Amino acid sequence: MIVVTPPSRKAFSSALVQDADWRRAASSAAERVRADLGGRPCDLAVAFVSEPYRSLEAAELAGLLSKELPGAVLLGCNAAGVIGPGREIEHAPAVSLLGMNLPGVRLQPFTFSPGDLATLSTGDQLLRALDLYPTERPNFLCLADPLTCDVDRLLKVFNEGYPGRPLVGGLSSGAAAGGAGWIFSEGEILSEGAAGVCLWGDLEVDTVVSQGCRPVGACFLVTKSDRHVLRQLGGRPAFEVLRELVESLSPDDRRLAKHSLMAGIAMEEKRGGLQPGNFFIRNLIGVDPADGAVMVGASVRPGQTLQFHLRDARAAAEDLEAMLGKVPAEGASPRAGLLFSCLGRGKGLFGAADHDIKMIESRLGPMAVAGFFANGELGPVGGRNYVHGYTSSLALLS
């Protein structure tokens, strides 16, 4: 389905509703959005629902929103926590909804099952699947199931097919809270794969991808590896390099390293040297001192550059503030946000709730916003889309 509306001023509205009854919460959120839009049609509605609603039926939710917001393209998922204006709700029942009136913008939903993705190996195949030319300069919102979606393949074909075009979203986290994860796209309910929306036309999308880690020690060349098993760094056993690094840290950083030491893998080599933010961050999942190996939560290739990172609240706050400082000032058009924040952030990292959303609003001003705590965040760095960890990935639509 493609929706086209005549040119006029865009309008955005969002609502975050806490209620023990999910039907009341979803109905109330939709009612607020509909009222704020002032009679304008809702062209795109994005909804996130916290997993504590254990009795919720995804198909019934999609039907309720379709009835409350007739004609809207619908996209959403369940999550361990949701985000809305001024608040981040973790592990408590809530519905976050963003409604958009988008005159002059074309919308095209898409879904990919794991089988669909297995048949996509090139950007050209993706172009044929979506029937959308790169010259249209599309933007993409995408939600994916972390257990069944081949995210690396998904990003590869989008990066090849639509080079330089942003794909922003997150991996659903409903299952992380102990329930069953699901995604809905229009009336279709997915328990696996990915779903999203292509947007093009009279629309500007700015992106912010902020990491929660800071580099420590030197950069090392991976000289021997076996998929996720890191065997040598700079020709030396990886475990030996890691042990020496930890011993060289300050007492405070050594304590932090016991539970917050990560591997940063360079996205691409930079002639001017690598800087914070040029790495995608992955967990260290084990060590083998006898074999000298370190296990990393990603496939690592010889020839790549690796630098260890520490995750802490100070680095996360400073990086988010710095990235927000690069966002263009809001123009004449209103602006809305979609925020995908890692499960490892929130109150557990910062010691207080609402950190990221409050900082965003303090720097960019109040706006209609919706989001959720994700099991991995999707967003562009340097014109190429990646799946990130411990980040906040923000899409600003205007």
Side-chain angles (χ1 to χ4, degrees):
M1 178 182 72
I2 297 178
V3 179
V4 185
T5 54
S8 66
R9 184 177 168 88
K10 289 180 282 293
F12 304 100
S13 175
S14 63
L16 179 62
V17 180
Q18 289 186 272
D19 193 303
D21 185 314
W22 70 264
R23 294 176 183 84
R24 284 199 307 261
S27 294
S28 177
E31 182 179 351
R32 293 185 198 179
V33 165
R34 194 171 60 245
D36 285 348
L37 291 178
R40 295 186 180 196
C42 181
D43 298 316
L44 174 62
V46 184
F48 306 114
V49 182
S50 58
E51 176 52 27
Y53 289 122
R54 296 301 172 87
S55 63
L56 184 148
E57 292 291 336
E60 187 180 351
L61 171 67
L64 184 155
L65 292 176
S66 181
K67 182 179 179 181
E68 295 277 359
L69 301 169
V73 172
L74 299 176
L75 179 69
C77 68
N78 64 341
V82 298
I83 303 168
R87 291 186 295 163
E88 300 173 358
I89 307 299
E90 302 180 60
H91 310 297
V95 173
S96 181
L97 176 66
L98 175 63
M100 294 168 260
N101 173 252
L102 299 171
V105 179
R106 295 176 180 241
L107 307 174
Q108 179 173 304
F110 63 85
T111 61
F112 292 115
S113 69
D116 294 333
L117 283 175
T119 66
L120 291 177
S121 58
T122 68
D124 286 341
Q125 290 175 326
L126 177 65
L127 297 185
R128 290 193 292 271
L130 294 180
D131 193 23
L132 177 61
Y133 291 103
T135 52
E136 300 284 1
R137 297 181 57 79
N139 308 281
F140 304 98
L141 300 178
C142 185
L143 306 175
D145 176 67
L147 300 178
T148 62
C149 178
D150 187 339
V151 181
D152 290 336
R153 178 183 288 261
L154 178 75
L155 294 173
K156 172 184 177 293
V157 295
F158 269 95
N159 284 327
E160 287 182 3
Y162 301 95
R165 303 311 302 162
L167 183 150
V168 184
L171 307 187
S172 62
S173 59
W182 48 261
I183 300 167
F184 69 79
S185 173
E186 299 287 76
E188 185 176 0
I189 311 301
L190 291 81
S191 59
E192 56 184 16
V197 180
C198 317
L199 305 93
W200 71 101
D202 183 18
L203 182 71
E204 294 294 328
V205 177
D206 294 304
T207 59
V208 173
V209 176
S210 172
Q211 296 181 331
C213 300
R214 55 183 166 90
V216 290
C219 291
F220 297 95
L221 183 69
V222 177
T223 48
K224 188 176 182 181
S225 64
D226 180 12
R227 299 183 68 183
H228 72 281
V229 180
L230 187 62
R231 299 196 180 279
Q232 289 185 0
L233 291 171
R236 300 174 58 208
F239 177 75
E240 181 180 309
V241 172
L242 177 61
R243 182 182 60 195
E244 289 182 3
L245 169 69
V246 172
E247 290 173 351
S248 72
L249 296 176
S250 69
D252 286 345
D253 280 355
R254 277 201 299 274
R255 285 190 289 271
L256 191 61
K258 291 179 180 180
H259 54 80
S260 297
L261 188 62
M262 310 286 169
I265 303 166
M267 298 174 184
E268 57 184 20
E269 301 302 329
K270 304 270 187 183
R271 287 188 179 181
L274 291 162
Q275 303 295 325
N278 295 152
F279 299 84
F280 61 86
I281 306 300
R282 293 294 182 265
N283 287 318
L284 297 182
I285 57 178
V287 296
D288 185 346
D291 195 37
V294 175
M295 279 65 81
V296 179
S299 183
V300 184
R301 303 185 309 275
Q304 288 184 300
T305 298
L306 183 144
Q307 187 174 21
F308 293 103
H309 283 64
L310 284 171
R311 179 171 68 95
D312 66 9
R314 177 177 60 83
E318 290 176 352
D319 187 67
L320 179 58
E321 186 166 19
M323 296 302 294
L324 291 172
K326 301 176 183 179
V327 175
E330 184 176 1
S333 299
R335 187 156 61 184
L338 284 162
L339 177 60
F340 306 93
S341 190
C342 179
L343 283 166
R345 292 174 73 97
K347 189 174 182 179
L349 177 62
F350 297 107
D354 312 325
H355 176 276
D356 284 356
I357 188 60
K358 285 186 174 178
M359 180 176 286
I360 289 166
E361 291 181 342
S362 71
R363 300 298 183 271
L364 305 182
M367 70 179 78
V369 64
F372 73 96
F373 286 94
N375 216 354
E377 304 77 57
L378 307 176
V381 175
R384 188 172 180 84
N385 298 297
Y386 297 91
V387 58
H388 305 275
Y390 304 103
T391 64
S392 270
S393 183
L394 172 66
L396 294 167
L397 291 72
S398 59

